[in-house]
Amino acid sequence: MSSKIRLGILGGGGDSLIGVLHRVASAMFDQYQIVGGVFNPVWEENIGFVKSIGLPTNRVYKDFDTLIEEEVKLPESERMQVVSVLTPNFLHFPMAKKLLENGFNVICEKPMTTTYEEAKILRQTLQMSNKIFAVTYTYTGYPMIRQMKEMISRGDIGKVQKIDAQYYQGWINPIIHDKEKRANTWRLDPEKSGISCCIGDIGTHAFDMIEYVTELKVESVLSDLNYMYSDNKMDVDGTVLIRCSDNVKGVIRTSQIATGEENNFTVQIYGEKAGLKWEQENPNHLYLLEDGKPLRVLKPGHTYNSELSLDGTKLPPGHPEGIFDSMGNIYRGIAKAIKKEEFDSAEFPTIVDGVRGMSFIEKAVESHQKGNVWIKIDA
Ligand SMILES: NC(=O)c1ccc[n+]([C@@H]2O[C@H](COP(=O)([O-])OP(=O)(O)OC[C@H]3O[C@@H](n4cnc5c(N)ncnc54)[C@H](O)[C@@H]3O)[C@@H](O)[C@H]2O)c1
């Protein structure tokens, strides 16, 4: 029998954005084997998709409850060991909770839940389950992000004094000005998406990234969100001032109406000795800025990079690695944890990051609603 980890998938069907990223990432280091799941709530689409990508059909279930029911009947040596939850946001919490309660490890897309309350319940459920729980803040797996973290941690840029994270997209621009379209997009529907669109979808990446690379905690936020139209219940743009531990201040700038932008996620951390700048759309370059010196560009695969960065680089320098590789690194870290092998806690985000992310979303919305006031992050 294969020694690969038996992986189940919820969501991520042929009609999805993120499914292919998880499937490729799980295959990247030959650690997982997809054994089944529910890829789409419509049976014909579900089974049709599985056949079209050549996966076995015998453990493709009609719905999530049937998956649990049937999988727990299997001997432990055959049962799914971990299940990836890639559905729209409102299904993350009920699915992840039931999976944990039934003894499965979980890989959950972000935002982890739709409310902070749900996130805390999930944390409690996890504590009782003794399982592995990962949240796929995808970008933390990039080699040059891992390098940025290491350089900040060992003091290369000195004490951090300014944080600026920007995540600009433009995909909602063609939707927001059309009443029918904006009413029919799940990310703009609070029932499916949660209390926030822009902050919940991409602001949460920026928040997590700041805490990941700087190892500081964002302690309070003051936000100004934009909903554009009175019938639109969800933010599509937002600026959040942040105050972090160690008296560091910064800003998270997010937008989904930045016309023409794709995934312009930029992380800039400035210390008293130097600055570091990274751009998701050009992820193999990490810029080192210093007073009075020429700009330096650090790249993956060179021995000047940290062990963790090099561990996440598969090819010699000059072979660009992208978002699939970043997610692949996260899946590899999770595989080590499931197999009880040694791993670095920086290899994949956990429930701690998921809970903090949900607190951030809730407090950013609260700050805006209360008239742009400072609110403390809870978690
Ligand atoms: N980590 C990242 O960078 C990143 C990027 C994009 C999306 N996401 C997250 O991934 C999740 C999915 O996003 P998406 O863009 O792929 O959404 P999507 O709407 O493109 O796809 C959702 C998929 O879930 C399926 N689905 C819906 N209800 C289901 C059910 N009851 N059972 C099984 N499958 C069901 C749909 O058929 C579809 O295949 C969201 O939570 C989103 O925030 C994360």
Side-chain angles (χ1 to χ4, degrees):
M1 180 168 287
S2 161
S3 64
K4 288 188 182 177
I5 296 166
R6 295 175 300 281
L7 170 67
I9 293 193
L10 295 168
D15 56 338
S16 79
L17 184 158
I18 208 67
V20 65
L21 184 55
H22 285 259
R23 290 196 303 280
V24 172
S26 69
M28 201 165 262
F29 293 96
D30 306 298
Q31 295 295 310
Y32 299 85
Q33 177 187 5
I34 301 173
V35 294
V38 185
F39 296 82
N40 192 301
V42 178
W43 175 250
E44 292 71 30
E45 300 281 330
N46 186 15
I47 198 74
F49 172 66
V50 169
K51 284 181 183 162
S52 77
I53 59 170
L55 285 176
T57 52
N58 59 321
R59 282 160 79 180
V60 177
Y61 301 101
K62 73 175 166 60
D63 57 30
F64 171 62
D65 289 333
T66 312
L67 178 146
I68 297 278
E69 214 176 288
E70 295 300 320
E71 282 293 317
V72 295
K73 286 184 198 160
L74 296 172
E76 228 176 292
S77 59
E78 288 176 34
R79 206 178 297 162
M80 289 169 186
Q81 288 163 279
V82 59
V83 178
S84 291
V85 182
L86 319 180
T87 57
N89 305 348
F90 73 106
L91 292 166
H92 296 178
F93 172 68
M95 286 177 165
K97 184 165 179 288
K98 194 163 174 182
L99 285 165
L100 289 174
E101 287 166 347
N102 282 278
F104 298 91
N105 298 299
V106 176
I107 298 173
C108 185
E109 260 302 346
K110 48 48 61 181
M112 189 174 78
T113 54
T114 52
T115 64
Y116 177 44
E117 198 49 40
E118 285 177 352
K120 287 190 286 186
I121 296 171
L122 207 53
R123 183 173 58 193
Q124 262 177 358
T125 313
L126 178 66
Q127 274 159 5
M128 289 185 290
S129 77
N130 206 19
K131 291 286 150 190
I132 305 296
F133 191 99
V135 182
T136 44
Y137 286 113
T138 318
Y139 308 111
T140 57
Y142 275 110
M144 297 324 285
I145 284 296
R146 291 176 165 192
Q147 176 63 12
M148 192 175 195
K149 179 181 179 67
E150 167 74 11
M151 288 172 77
I152 296 171
S153 177
R154 71 180 180 215
D156 286 12
I157 67 168
K159 184 186 175 315
V160 173
Q161 56 195 21
K162 171 74 182 173
I163 292 173
D164 184 323
Q166 168 195 291
Y167 200 149
Y168 280 179
Q169 299 177 330
W171 72 272
I172 291 190
N173 187 51
I175 292 169
I176 198 71
H177 306 295
D178 181 319
K179 201 165 182 169
E180 205 174 311
K181 281 190 193 160
R182 67 178 178 259
N184 288 315
T185 298
W186 76 252
R187 280 188 168 83
L188 292 173
D189 176 358
E191 298 271 305
K192 296 204 166 116
S193 201
I195 57 169
S196 161
C197 178
C198 186
I199 295 295
D201 197 24
I202 55 177
T204 187
H205 274 300
F207 171 86
D208 181 72
M209 180 62 84
I210 287 169
E211 294 203 333
Y212 181 78
V213 293
T214 66
E215 294 171 10
L216 295 167
K217 293 283 170 227
V218 177
E219 290 179 340
S220 48
V221 296
L222 183 154
S223 74
D224 189 27
L225 310 183
N226 193 348
Y227 294 70
M228 293 290 284
Y229 290 96
S230 58
D231 66 320
N232 173 40
K233 298 186 183 68
M234 305 286 271
D235 53 301
V236 290
D237 175 282
T239 304
V240 187
L241 300 181
I242 57 171
R243 288 180 182 156
C244 305
S245 47
D246 224 6
N247 285 324
V248 181
K249 297 187 182 192
V251 61
I252 292 175
R253 299 173 289 121
T254 61
S255 186
Q256 292 170 318
I257 50 160
T259 311
E261 290 283 9
E262 295 169 338
N263 280 282
N264 186 351
F265 181 22
T266 307
V267 185
Q268 302 173 108
I269 311 290
Y270 302 96
E272 55 191 0
K273 288 200 283 190
L276 285 169
K277 191 180 341 190
W278 176 86
E279 298 158 344
Q280 201 279 141
E281 292 182 355
N282 187 15
N284 292 286
H285 288 179
L286 175 62
Y287 301 103
L288 176 62
L289 299 90
E290 292 166 285
D291 286 331
K293 288 192 185 164
L295 174 71
R296 276 196 276 173
V297 183
L298 288 79
K299 296 169 73 182
H302 292 282
T303 50
Y304 55 68
N305 285 306
S306 69
E307 211 176 301
L308 188 62
S309 173
L310 287 168
D311 192 52
T313 311
K314 294 178 294 304
L315 294 167
H319 296 100
E321 300 200 31
I323 193 163
F324 287 88
D325 306 272
S326 183
M327 189 70 107
N329 288 337
I330 289 175
Y331 263 80
R332 180 152 77 140
I334 300 165
K336 289 181 194 168
I338 291 172
K339 289 182 165 178
K340 301 199 186 322
E341 292 169 6
E342 208 178 304
F343 67 97
D344 189 317
S345 63
E347 286 189 69
F348 65 91
T350 67
I351 192 109
V352 175
D353 309 290
V355 173
R356 285 191 61 76
M358 289 316 302
S359 180
F360 166 69
I361 296 166
E362 203 157 283
K363 303 305 172 192
V365 171
E366 187 183 336
S367 164
H368 175 79
Q369 283 171 347
K370 288 189 169 159
N372 320 105
V373 295
W374 284 102
I375 307 271
K376 279 197 162 37
I377 298 286
D378 232 15

